[in-house]
Each structure stands twice: as structure tokens, then as C-alpha cells.
Amino acid sequence: MGDAAGWSTIESDEGLFTSLIETLGVKDTQFEELISLDPDTIRSLGPVYGVIFLFKWTREAAGARAEAPLDGEYDPTATDNNLFFAAQTIQNACGTQAILSVILNHDNPPAPQPAINLGPELSSFKDFTTGFPPELRGEALSNSEAIRSAHNSFARASPFADETARPQDDEKGADVYHFIAYTPVNGKLYELDGLQPHPISHGACDAGSFPEKVIEVLQRRIARYDAGETHFNLMAVVRDPRVSAREIGDVETLEREEKKRAAWQWENTLRRHNFVGFIGEMMKGVVGMKDKQDSEGKVYGEWVENAKKETRKKLEMQR
């Protein structure tokens, strides 16, 4: 993989991912976190375009760049049939790349599945990369200023570390996490992982059978890990529930979804804001107030000593 300079790491969060695609111009589509591997839960979400799976990457569990994948089979001709698949050329963009692997494959799905409105930016990107091999599509994605800017706008603010530099070398003991996509395209269930040389086909699948099919594949994948491994996250890419709620006059659902959107917006605002300066100014104010209250420094000294005692007590309890 190439240099990750210029791309920040982002969290796996339904509100963040929804806001990200809306920033790129996608309409009437959102993400829903799944807390159980249950086909009925996926089906209850209405039209589901695919799922984004986050897991702790290991060479053994991923079967990366093997002659054949550990599950399913490579389909090198899939991109000839208008399937969008891009090789991963940088590390920190794998979340956005997995998102686009679903979004860009459902702008013209078979009936009755509603199409995803990509908006002008992603429509132009898909048109521009049509016919490109996966490696060139990956380079086009990594060099897209619009996509990179939207991605980086959701990075958590930090005054201490460069968000574009994340340790990815598992030989140094750092855990490495990776996003991939599962989506039904052209009558098959595809696993779209930019670290693999080709899309991976898991057999015949349409929108109706997708919930059962994808759960079976995910269960087999999770079974490769130790029983105590819990570092997984799964999100479904669905049609915005507010669209059908408006059509049928479902006021309760509409109010619930609007409240959810407001909460997501607030969380994204907090995520982007750096509070270190605020905390520092607040501490200065507290110290200044103590100084004014005690010109001889007695109360302030007692305050500091009490804090030291509490710290020592906590350290002794930890020992």
C-alpha cells in the first residue's frame, strides 16, 4: 500500500458515516449499526444495500493476497460487468473505501430495489473511473480531493498527534483494524476488500436473500478468531427511513428519525472540536480564583496537598 499522508483515521459510527456520504452529495441513504447477527434484524430495516464490516486484521484470518480466499472464490471478471471495485492503495481510507464499495454499486439496481442517488460528485467519479482496473481506481480514489476532504472533515480533533500517521505495522504490536463491504450485485453476494486482488464471490444472492446469505458468511469469518475476540462492528447501508415515513404519514417514525439525526449532528460537532484549550483555560480560572480567595496561599496550599494525598491513595489502592 502507498503513503497514507493526507488521509486521517475516522471512527466506525453510523452517524459519522451517514454525514460523510451526505457531505459527498448522496441523498436518502443512511447507516444503521447492527448489534446482532440476525437476518430478521437486517430485513426489518427495509431496503438494505449492503453491510460494512470492521474487524481486527490479521494475516491468518484475512487470507490476504492468497492464491484463493479462505471463503468464497475470486471473481476476476466481476468488474467487466459494471461492478465497482477498487484496490486499496493507502491505509487510512479503508472505511470510506468500503462505504463507496456499497454506494457506487447501487445507483442502478434491479427493481424493486430503489436506486441510491449518488449526487454529482460521486456520479462524476464513477463515470470517470468506469473501465479502470482496480489498481487505477484505487489511485483515483486516493487522489480525489473532494472525497479526501469529506473524509478528513470527520477526523477527531487532536492537538498532540498527527491523525494522518497511524501505526499499521502489526510486527510492532499495534492492533490493525480493517473495513470491508458485503453487497449483492448482478445476482451474487460479493465481498469487496481492497486488500484482495479481486472481488470475492459467495454465490448466488439477490436483495431478498441477502440477509441470510451475508449472516452465514459473517459467521464463518468470525469463527476464524478465538472465542474471546469481540472487536467487530457491523453496519447496514439502508434507505433513509424518513423517505417512506413522509410518504405514508408515519409521524412517530419521522419524529424518532429526526431526533436521531439531531443527536448525530451534535456528536459529530463534539468529535471535531478540540476541548484541550477550553480545559486549560478552565483550570487557569480555578487556580486564579483560589489565589484571589487566599492572599497568603494557605488555602491554595491545602488544596494542592489534599490533591496529592488523593493521588497517593489511588496509587496505593492500585498496587
Side-chain angles (χ1 to χ4, degrees), residues 184-242:
V185 183
N186 299 329
K188 292 183 179 180
L189 171 59
Y190 281 103
E191 175 183 329
L192 302 178
D193 179 355
L195 295 181
Q196 301 288 357
H198 306 288
I200 298 174
S201 170
H202 291 281
C205 178
D206 57 18
S209 60
F210 173 72
E212 284 80 12
K213 291 283 188 179
V214 74
I215 291 301
E216 292 173 3
V217 174
L218 287 170
Q219 287 175 335
R220 292 197 297 269
R221 188 180 193 103
I222 292 173
R224 300 176 198 170
Y225 292 83
D226 295 335
E229 179 58 58
T230 60
H231 293 88
F232 303 105
N233 182 262
L234 184 65
M235 277 186 284
V237 188
V238 304
R239 183 120 169 117
D240 187 343
R242 297 177 300 174

Short mmCIF file of all heavy atoms in Angstrom, two decimals, residues 184-242:
data_model
loop_
_atom_site.label_atom_id
_atom_site.label_comp_id
_atom_site.label_asym_id
_atom_site.label_seq_id
_atom_site.Cartn_x
_atom_site.Cartn_y
_atom_site.Cartn_z
N PRO A 184 -24.95 -7.37 -2.51
CA PRO A 184 -25.40 -8.17 -3.65
C PRO A 184 -25.35 -7.34 -4.94
O PRO A 184 -25.93 -6.27 -5.03
CB PRO A 184 -26.85 -8.52 -3.28
CG PRO A 184 -27.29 -7.39 -2.40
CD PRO A 184 -26.08 -6.88 -1.70
N VAL A 185 -24.64 -7.85 -5.93
CA VAL A 185 -24.52 -7.18 -7.22
C VAL A 185 -24.60 -8.23 -8.33
O VAL A 185 -23.96 -9.29 -8.24
CB VAL A 185 -23.19 -6.41 -7.35
CG1 VAL A 185 -23.13 -5.65 -8.68
CG2 VAL A 185 -22.99 -5.45 -6.20
N ASN A 186 -25.42 -7.94 -9.35
CA ASN A 186 -25.54 -8.84 -10.51
C ASN A 186 -25.88 -10.27 -10.12
O ASN A 186 -25.38 -11.24 -10.70
CB ASN A 186 -24.24 -8.83 -11.34
CG ASN A 186 -23.92 -7.46 -11.88
OD1 ASN A 186 -24.81 -6.67 -12.17
ND2 ASN A 186 -22.63 -7.15 -12.01
N GLY A 187 -26.75 -10.42 -9.10
CA GLY A 187 -27.22 -11.75 -8.71
C GLY A 187 -26.25 -12.56 -7.87
O GLY A 187 -26.46 -13.76 -7.68
N LYS A 188 -25.18 -11.91 -7.34
CA LYS A 188 -24.22 -12.63 -6.50
C LYS A 188 -23.93 -11.80 -5.24
O LYS A 188 -24.05 -10.57 -5.26
CB LYS A 188 -22.90 -12.87 -7.24
CG LYS A 188 -23.01 -13.84 -8.40
CD LYS A 188 -21.63 -14.06 -9.03
CE LYS A 188 -21.69 -15.04 -10.17
NZ LYS A 188 -20.35 -15.26 -10.79
N LEU A 189 -23.53 -12.49 -4.17
CA LEU A 189 -23.06 -11.82 -2.97
C LEU A 189 -21.56 -11.62 -3.09
O LEU A 189 -20.81 -12.60 -3.20
CB LEU A 189 -23.38 -12.64 -1.72
CG LEU A 189 -22.76 -12.13 -0.41
CD1 LEU A 189 -23.21 -10.71 -0.10
CD2 LEU A 189 -23.10 -13.07 0.75
N TYR A 190 -21.12 -10.36 -3.08
CA TYR A 190 -19.70 -10.06 -3.22
C TYR A 190 -19.12 -9.52 -1.92
O TYR A 190 -19.75 -8.73 -1.23
CB TYR A 190 -19.47 -9.04 -4.33
CG TYR A 190 -19.52 -9.65 -5.72
CD1 TYR A 190 -20.64 -9.48 -6.53
CD2 TYR A 190 -18.44 -10.39 -6.21
CE1 TYR A 190 -20.68 -10.03 -7.81
CE2 TYR A 190 -18.48 -10.95 -7.48
CZ TYR A 190 -19.59 -10.77 -8.27
OH TYR A 190 -19.63 -11.32 -9.52
N GLU A 191 -17.92 -9.98 -1.63
CA GLU A 191 -17.09 -9.41 -0.57
C GLU A 191 -16.08 -8.50 -1.26
O GLU A 191 -15.29 -8.95 -2.10
CB GLU A 191 -16.37 -10.52 0.19
CG GLU A 191 -15.40 -10.06 1.25
CD GLU A 191 -14.68 -11.23 1.90
OE1 GLU A 191 -15.28 -12.32 2.00
OE2 GLU A 191 -13.50 -11.06 2.28
N LEU A 192 -16.13 -7.21 -0.93
CA LEU A 192 -15.28 -6.23 -1.58
C LEU A 192 -14.25 -5.72 -0.58
O LEU A 192 -14.56 -4.91 0.30
CB LEU A 192 -16.13 -5.09 -2.15
CG LEU A 192 -17.21 -5.53 -3.15
CD1 LEU A 192 -18.04 -4.34 -3.62
CD2 LEU A 192 -16.59 -6.25 -4.34
N ASP A 193 -13.05 -6.24 -0.72
CA ASP A 193 -11.94 -5.93 0.18
C ASP A 193 -10.78 -5.43 -0.67
O ASP A 193 -10.21 -6.19 -1.46
CB ASP A 193 -11.54 -7.20 0.95
CG ASP A 193 -10.37 -6.99 1.89
OD1 ASP A 193 -9.79 -5.89 1.90
OD2 ASP A 193 -10.03 -7.94 2.62
N GLY A 194 -10.42 -4.16 -0.52
CA GLY A 194 -9.38 -3.58 -1.33
C GLY A 194 -8.01 -4.19 -1.15
O GLY A 194 -7.11 -3.95 -1.95
N LEU A 195 -7.81 -5.00 -0.10
CA LEU A 195 -6.54 -5.68 0.11
C LEU A 195 -6.46 -6.99 -0.67
O LEU A 195 -5.39 -7.60 -0.73
CB LEU A 195 -6.32 -5.96 1.60
CG LEU A 195 -6.15 -4.74 2.50
CD1 LEU A 195 -5.93 -5.17 3.94
CD2 LEU A 195 -5.00 -3.85 2.03
N GLN A 196 -7.56 -7.42 -1.23
CA GLN A 196 -7.59 -8.64 -2.02
C GLN A 196 -7.44 -8.29 -3.50
O GLN A 196 -7.80 -7.19 -3.93
CB GLN A 196 -8.90 -9.39 -1.79
CG GLN A 196 -9.16 -9.80 -0.35
CD GLN A 196 -8.25 -10.93 0.12
OE1 GLN A 196 -7.45 -11.45 -0.65
NE2 GLN A 196 -8.36 -11.31 1.38
N PRO A 197 -6.92 -9.21 -4.30
CA PRO A 197 -6.67 -8.89 -5.71
C PRO A 197 -7.93 -8.78 -6.56
O PRO A 197 -7.90 -8.12 -7.61
CB PRO A 197 -5.79 -10.06 -6.18
CG PRO A 197 -6.12 -11.17 -5.26
CD PRO A 197 -6.40 -10.54 -3.93
N HIS A 198 -9.03 -9.41 -6.13
CA HIS A 198 -10.27 -9.40 -6.91
C HIS A 198 -11.46 -9.38 -5.96
O HIS A 198 -11.34 -9.71 -4.76
CB HIS A 198 -10.37 -10.65 -7.79
CG HIS A 198 -9.20 -10.90 -8.67
ND1 HIS A 198 -8.91 -10.14 -9.78
CD2 HIS A 198 -8.21 -11.84 -8.58
CE1 HIS A 198 -7.82 -10.58 -10.36
NE2 HIS A 198 -7.36 -11.61 -9.65
N PRO A 199 -12.65 -9.03 -6.45
CA PRO A 199 -13.87 -9.24 -5.66
C PRO A 199 -14.02 -10.73 -5.34
O PRO A 199 -13.63 -11.59 -6.15
CB PRO A 199 -14.98 -8.75 -6.59
CG PRO A 199 -14.31 -7.84 -7.57
CD PRO A 199 -12.92 -8.39 -7.75
N ILE A 200 -14.57 -11.02 -4.18
CA ILE A 200 -14.77 -12.42 -3.77
C ILE A 200 -16.26 -12.74 -3.85
O ILE A 200 -17.09 -12.08 -3.22
CB ILE A 200 -14.25 -12.66 -2.35
CG1 ILE A 200 -12.75 -12.40 -2.29
CG2 ILE A 200 -14.58 -14.08 -1.89
CD1 ILE A 200 -12.16 -12.48 -0.89
N SER A 201 -16.60 -13.74 -4.64
CA SER A 201 -18.00 -14.15 -4.80
C SER A 201 -18.35 -15.22 -3.77
O SER A 201 -17.59 -16.17 -3.57
CB SER A 201 -18.23 -14.69 -6.21
OG SER A 201 -19.52 -15.29 -6.31
N HIS A 202 -19.51 -15.05 -3.14
CA HIS A 202 -20.01 -16.04 -2.18
C HIS A 202 -21.28 -16.71 -2.70
O HIS A 202 -22.10 -17.19 -1.92
CB HIS A 202 -20.26 -15.39 -0.83
CG HIS A 202 -19.01 -14.98 -0.12
ND1 HIS A 202 -18.20 -15.86 0.57
CD2 HIS A 202 -18.40 -13.76 -0.02
CE1 HIS A 202 -17.17 -15.22 1.08
NE2 HIS A 202 -17.26 -13.94 0.74
N GLY A 203 -21.44 -16.74 -4.01
CA GLY A 203 -22.55 -17.48 -4.61
C GLY A 203 -23.74 -16.60 -4.93
O GLY A 203 -23.76 -15.40 -4.72
N ALA A 204 -24.77 -17.26 -5.44
CA ALA A 204 -25.98 -16.57 -5.89
C ALA A 204 -26.65 -15.84 -4.73
O ALA A 204 -26.75 -16.37 -3.62
CB ALA A 204 -26.95 -17.57 -6.51
N CYS A 205 -27.11 -14.62 -5.01
CA CYS A 205 -27.74 -13.81 -3.97
C CYS A 205 -28.43 -12.62 -4.62
O CYS A 205 -27.89 -11.99 -5.53
CB CYS A 205 -26.69 -13.33 -2.97
SG CYS A 205 -27.33 -12.27 -1.65
N ASP A 206 -29.63 -12.32 -4.14
CA ASP A 206 -30.31 -11.09 -4.55
C ASP A 206 -30.70 -10.32 -3.31
O ASP A 206 -30.36 -10.71 -2.18
CB ASP A 206 -31.54 -11.41 -5.43
CG ASP A 206 -32.53 -12.33 -4.74
OD1 ASP A 206 -32.48 -12.45 -3.49
OD2 ASP A 206 -33.39 -12.92 -5.44
N ALA A 207 -31.41 -9.21 -3.48
CA ALA A 207 -31.76 -8.36 -2.33
C ALA A 207 -32.61 -9.13 -1.32
O ALA A 207 -32.48 -8.93 -0.11
CB ALA A 207 -32.50 -7.12 -2.81
N GLY A 208 -33.47 -10.03 -1.80
CA GLY A 208 -34.34 -10.77 -0.89
C GLY A 208 -33.61 -11.78 -0.03
O GLY A 208 -33.94 -11.97 1.15
N SER A 209 -32.60 -12.44 -0.60
CA SER A 209 -31.87 -13.48 0.16
C SER A 209 -30.62 -12.93 0.84
O SER A 209 -29.94 -13.66 1.56
CB SER A 209 -31.47 -14.63 -0.78
OG SER A 209 -30.64 -14.15 -1.83
N PHE A 210 -30.32 -11.65 0.63
CA PHE A 210 -29.09 -11.07 1.17
C PHE A 210 -28.96 -11.22 2.69
O PHE A 210 -27.88 -11.59 3.17
CB PHE A 210 -28.98 -9.59 0.78
CG PHE A 210 -27.84 -8.88 1.41
CD1 PHE A 210 -26.54 -9.13 1.03
CD2 PHE A 210 -28.06 -7.95 2.43
CE1 PHE A 210 -25.47 -8.46 1.62
CE2 PHE A 210 -27.00 -7.28 3.02
CZ PHE A 210 -25.70 -7.53 2.63
N PRO A 211 -30.00 -10.94 3.50
CA PRO A 211 -29.82 -11.04 4.96
C PRO A 211 -29.33 -12.42 5.41
O PRO A 211 -28.39 -12.50 6.22
CB PRO A 211 -31.22 -10.73 5.51
CG PRO A 211 -31.84 -9.85 4.47
CD PRO A 211 -31.34 -10.40 3.17
N GLU A 212 -29.94 -13.49 4.91
CA GLU A 212 -29.50 -14.83 5.32
C GLU A 212 -28.11 -15.15 4.79
O GLU A 212 -27.26 -15.69 5.52
CB GLU A 212 -30.48 -15.90 4.81
CG GLU A 212 -31.78 -15.99 5.59
CD GLU A 212 -32.78 -14.90 5.20
OE1 GLU A 212 -32.55 -14.22 4.18
OE2 GLU A 212 -33.77 -14.72 5.92
N LYS A 213 -27.86 -14.81 3.54
CA LYS A 213 -26.58 -15.15 2.91
C LYS A 213 -25.41 -14.45 3.61
O LYS A 213 -24.38 -15.06 3.90
CB LYS A 213 -26.60 -14.76 1.43
CG LYS A 213 -27.52 -15.60 0.57
CD LYS A 213 -26.91 -16.94 0.25
CE LYS A 213 -27.75 -17.69 -0.76
NZ LYS A 213 -27.16 -19.00 -1.11
N VAL A 214 -25.57 -13.15 3.88
CA VAL A 214 -24.44 -12.41 4.45
C VAL A 214 -24.18 -12.83 5.89
O VAL A 214 -23.02 -12.87 6.34
CB VAL A 214 -24.68 -10.89 4.34
CG1 VAL A 214 -25.72 -10.39 5.35
CG2 VAL A 214 -23.37 -10.12 4.53
N ILE A 215 -25.23 -13.17 6.63
CA ILE A 215 -25.03 -13.63 8.01
C ILE A 215 -24.25 -14.93 8.03
O ILE A 215 -23.35 -15.13 8.86
CB ILE A 215 -26.38 -13.78 8.74
CG1 ILE A 215 -27.02 -12.41 8.97
CG2 ILE A 215 -26.20 -14.51 10.06
CD1 ILE A 215 -26.19 -11.46 9.79
N GLU A 216 -24.54 -15.84 7.11
CA GLU A 216 -23.80 -17.10 7.03
C GLU A 216 -22.32 -16.85 6.78
O GLU A 216 -21.45 -17.46 7.41
CB GLU A 216 -24.38 -17.98 5.92
CG GLU A 216 -25.78 -18.50 6.19
CD GLU A 216 -26.37 -19.21 4.98
OE1 GLU A 216 -25.64 -19.34 3.96
OE2 GLU A 216 -27.53 -19.62 5.03
N VAL A 217 -22.02 -15.94 5.85
CA VAL A 217 -20.62 -15.63 5.53
C VAL A 217 -19.92 -14.97 6.73
O VAL A 217 -18.78 -15.31 7.07
CB VAL A 217 -20.55 -14.72 4.30
CG1 VAL A 217 -19.11 -14.28 4.04
CG2 VAL A 217 -21.11 -15.43 3.08
N LEU A 218 -20.61 -14.04 7.38
CA LEU A 218 -20.01 -13.35 8.53
C LEU A 218 -19.75 -14.32 9.69
O LEU A 218 -18.72 -14.22 10.37
CB LEU A 218 -20.93 -12.22 8.99
CG LEU A 218 -20.98 -10.99 8.07
CD1 LEU A 218 -22.10 -10.06 8.50
CD2 LEU A 218 -19.64 -10.25 8.09
N GLN A 219 -20.67 -15.24 9.92
CA GLN A 219 -20.47 -16.20 11.00
C GLN A 219 -19.24 -17.08 10.74
O GLN A 219 -18.49 -17.38 11.67
CB GLN A 219 -21.73 -17.05 11.16
CG GLN A 219 -22.89 -16.31 11.79
CD GLN A 219 -24.17 -17.11 11.83
OE1 GLN A 219 -24.37 -18.04 11.03
NE2 GLN A 219 -25.05 -16.79 12.76
N ARG A 220 -19.05 -17.47 9.49
CA ARG A 220 -17.87 -18.28 9.16
C ARG A 220 -16.60 -17.46 9.33
O ARG A 220 -15.58 -17.96 9.80
CB ARG A 220 -17.96 -18.81 7.73
CG ARG A 220 -19.05 -19.84 7.51
CD ARG A 220 -18.83 -20.61 6.21
NE ARG A 220 -18.90 -19.77 5.03
CZ ARG A 220 -20.00 -19.53 4.34
NH1 ARG A 220 -21.16 -20.08 4.72
NH2 ARG A 220 -19.98 -18.78 3.25
N ARG A 221 -16.67 -16.17 8.99
CA ARG A 221 -15.48 -15.32 9.12
C ARG A 221 -15.13 -15.11 10.58
O ARG A 221 -13.96 -15.20 10.98
CB ARG A 221 -15.72 -13.97 8.43
CG ARG A 221 -14.48 -13.13 8.38
CD ARG A 221 -14.68 -11.80 7.71
NE ARG A 221 -13.38 -11.21 7.44
CZ ARG A 221 -12.80 -11.17 6.26
NH1 ARG A 221 -13.41 -11.68 5.20
NH2 ARG A 221 -11.61 -10.63 6.10
N ILE A 222 -16.12 -14.81 11.41
CA ILE A 222 -15.88 -14.58 12.84
C ILE A 222 -15.36 -15.85 13.50
O ILE A 222 -14.56 -15.78 14.45
CB ILE A 222 -17.17 -14.07 13.51
CG1 ILE A 222 -17.50 -12.66 13.00
CG2 ILE A 222 -17.04 -14.06 15.03
CD1 ILE A 222 -18.84 -12.13 13.46
N ALA A 223 -15.76 -17.01 13.01
CA ALA A 223 -15.32 -18.27 13.58
C ALA A 223 -13.83 -18.51 13.40
O ALA A 223 -13.25 -19.38 14.07
CB ALA A 223 -16.11 -19.43 12.96
N ARG A 224 -13.16 -17.74 12.54
CA ARG A 224 -11.71 -17.89 12.37
C ARG A 224 -10.94 -17.34 13.58
O ARG A 224 -9.76 -17.64 13.75
CB ARG A 224 -11.25 -17.13 11.13
CG ARG A 224 -11.87 -17.58 9.83
CD ARG A 224 -11.38 -16.69 8.68
NE ARG A 224 -12.25 -16.79 7.51
CZ ARG A 224 -12.17 -15.98 6.46
NH1 ARG A 224 -11.26 -15.00 6.46
NH2 ARG A 224 -12.99 -16.12 5.44
N TYR A 225 -11.60 -16.53 14.39
CA TYR A 225 -10.94 -15.89 15.53
C TYR A 225 -11.15 -16.71 16.80
O TYR A 225 -12.01 -17.60 16.87
CB TYR A 225 -11.50 -14.49 15.73
CG TYR A 225 -11.14 -13.51 14.64
CD1 TYR A 225 -11.87 -13.46 13.46
CD2 TYR A 225 -10.05 -12.64 14.78
CE1 TYR A 225 -11.54 -12.57 12.44
CE2 TYR A 225 -9.71 -11.75 13.78
CZ TYR A 225 -10.46 -11.72 12.61
OH TYR A 225 -10.12 -10.85 11.62
N ASP A 226 -10.37 -16.40 17.82
CA ASP A 226 -10.53 -17.02 19.12
C ASP A 226 -11.92 -16.70 19.68
O ASP A 226 -12.51 -15.66 19.36
CB ASP A 226 -9.47 -16.53 20.10
CG ASP A 226 -8.07 -16.96 19.69
OD1 ASP A 226 -7.95 -17.98 18.97
OD2 ASP A 226 -7.09 -16.28 20.06
N ALA A 227 -12.42 -17.57 20.53
CA ALA A 227 -13.78 -17.40 21.05
C ALA A 227 -13.94 -16.10 21.82
O ALA A 227 -15.04 -15.54 21.86
CB ALA A 227 -14.13 -18.59 21.96
N GLY A 228 -12.87 -15.59 22.43
CA GLY A 228 -12.97 -14.38 23.23
C GLY A 228 -12.84 -13.09 22.44
O GLY A 228 -12.96 -12.00 23.01
N GLU A 229 -12.61 -13.16 21.14
CA GLU A 229 -12.44 -11.96 20.33
C GLU A 229 -13.78 -11.27 20.11
O GLU A 229 -14.75 -11.88 19.66
CB GLU A 229 -11.82 -12.32 18.97
CG GLU A 229 -11.63 -11.14 18.04
CD GLU A 229 -10.75 -10.06 18.64
OE1 GLU A 229 -9.59 -10.36 19.00
OE2 GLU A 229 -11.25 -8.93 18.75
N THR A 230 -13.84 -9.99 20.46
CA THR A 230 -15.10 -9.23 20.36
C THR A 230 -14.95 -7.95 19.54
O THR A 230 -15.90 -7.19 19.46
CB THR A 230 -15.63 -8.87 21.76
OG1 THR A 230 -14.65 -8.06 22.44
CG2 THR A 230 -15.94 -10.11 22.57
N HIS A 231 -13.79 -7.72 18.97
CA HIS A 231 -13.55 -6.47 18.26
C HIS A 231 -14.11 -6.53 16.83
O HIS A 231 -13.36 -6.64 15.85
CB HIS A 231 -12.06 -6.13 18.24
CG HIS A 231 -11.50 -5.82 19.59
ND1 HIS A 231 -11.01 -6.79 20.43
CD2 HIS A 231 -11.38 -4.65 20.25
CE1 HIS A 231 -10.59 -6.22 21.55
NE2 HIS A 231 -10.81 -4.92 21.47
N PHE A 232 -15.43 -6.48 16.74
CA PHE A 232 -16.12 -6.46 15.46
C PHE A 232 -17.17 -5.36 15.48
O PHE A 232 -17.71 -5.01 16.53
CB PHE A 232 -16.81 -7.80 15.18
CG PHE A 232 -15.90 -8.99 15.20
CD1 PHE A 232 -15.90 -9.86 16.27
CD2 PHE A 232 -15.04 -9.24 14.14
CE1 PHE A 232 -15.06 -10.97 16.31
CE2 PHE A 232 -14.19 -10.34 14.15
CZ PHE A 232 -14.20 -11.20 15.24
N ASN A 233 -17.46 -4.82 14.32
CA ASN A 233 -18.53 -3.84 14.19
C ASN A 233 -19.20 -4.05 12.84
O ASN A 233 -18.51 -4.27 11.84
CB ASN A 233 -17.99 -2.42 14.32
CG ASN A 233 -19.09 -1.37 14.24
OD1 ASN A 233 -19.33 -0.79 13.19
ND2 ASN A 233 -19.76 -1.13 15.35
N LEU A 234 -20.53 -3.98 12.83
CA LEU A 234 -21.28 -4.23 11.60
C LEU A 234 -22.32 -3.15 11.41
O LEU A 234 -23.09 -2.86 12.33
CB LEU A 234 -21.95 -5.60 11.67
CG LEU A 234 -22.69 -6.08 10.42
CD1 LEU A 234 -21.72 -6.28 9.25
CD2 LEU A 234 -23.44 -7.38 10.71
N MET A 235 -22.33 -2.54 10.22
CA MET A 235 -23.32 -1.52 9.91
C MET A 235 -23.99 -1.81 8.57
O MET A 235 -23.31 -2.21 7.61
CB MET A 235 -22.68 -0.13 9.89
CG MET A 235 -22.55 0.48 11.27
SD MET A 235 -21.94 2.18 11.19
CE MET A 235 -20.23 1.86 10.85
N ALA A 236 -25.29 -1.60 8.53
CA ALA A 236 -26.05 -1.80 7.30
C ALA A 236 -26.21 -0.47 6.58
O ALA A 236 -26.40 0.57 7.21
CB ALA A 236 -27.42 -2.39 7.62
N VAL A 237 -26.14 -0.53 5.26
CA VAL A 237 -26.40 0.64 4.41
C VAL A 237 -27.86 0.52 3.95
O VAL A 237 -28.21 -0.42 3.23
CB VAL A 237 -25.46 0.67 3.20
CG1 VAL A 237 -25.61 2.00 2.45
CG2 VAL A 237 -24.02 0.47 3.63
N VAL A 238 -28.70 1.46 4.38
CA VAL A 238 -30.14 1.33 4.17
C VAL A 238 -30.72 2.60 3.55
O VAL A 238 -30.08 3.64 3.50
CB VAL A 238 -30.87 1.02 5.49
CG1 VAL A 238 -30.30 -0.22 6.16
CG2 VAL A 238 -30.80 2.22 6.45
N ARG A 239 -31.95 2.49 3.11
CA ARG A 239 -32.69 3.66 2.65
C ARG A 239 -33.10 4.48 3.86
O ARG A 239 -33.47 3.95 4.91
CB ARG A 239 -33.94 3.20 1.91
CG ARG A 239 -34.76 4.35 1.32
CD ARG A 239 -34.86 4.19 -0.14
NE ARG A 239 -35.82 5.09 -0.74
CZ ARG A 239 -35.48 6.02 -1.63
NH1 ARG A 239 -34.22 6.16 -1.98
NH2 ARG A 239 -36.38 6.79 -2.18
N ASP A 240 -33.00 5.79 3.75
CA ASP A 240 -33.38 6.69 4.83
C ASP A 240 -34.84 6.44 5.21
O ASP A 240 -35.73 6.62 4.38
CB ASP A 240 -33.19 8.14 4.37
CG ASP A 240 -33.39 9.15 5.50
OD1 ASP A 240 -33.99 8.80 6.52
OD2 ASP A 240 -32.96 10.31 5.32
N PRO A 241 -35.11 6.01 6.45
CA PRO A 241 -36.50 5.71 6.86
C PRO A 241 -37.43 6.91 6.76
O PRO A 241 -38.65 6.75 6.70
CB PRO A 241 -36.35 5.25 8.31
CG PRO A 241 -34.93 4.85 8.46
CD PRO A 241 -34.16 5.73 7.54
N ARG A 242 -36.89 8.12 6.76
CA ARG A 242 -37.74 9.31 6.70
C ARG A 242 -38.45 9.43 5.36
O ARG A 242 -39.52 10.04 5.27
CB ARG A 242 -36.90 10.56 6.96
CG ARG A 242 -36.27 10.61 8.34
CD ARG A 242 -35.41 11.85 8.50
NE ARG A 242 -34.33 11.86 7.52
CZ ARG A 242 -33.49 12.88 7.36
NH1 ARG A 242 -33.61 13.96 8.12
NH2 ARG A 242 -32.53 12.83 6.46
#
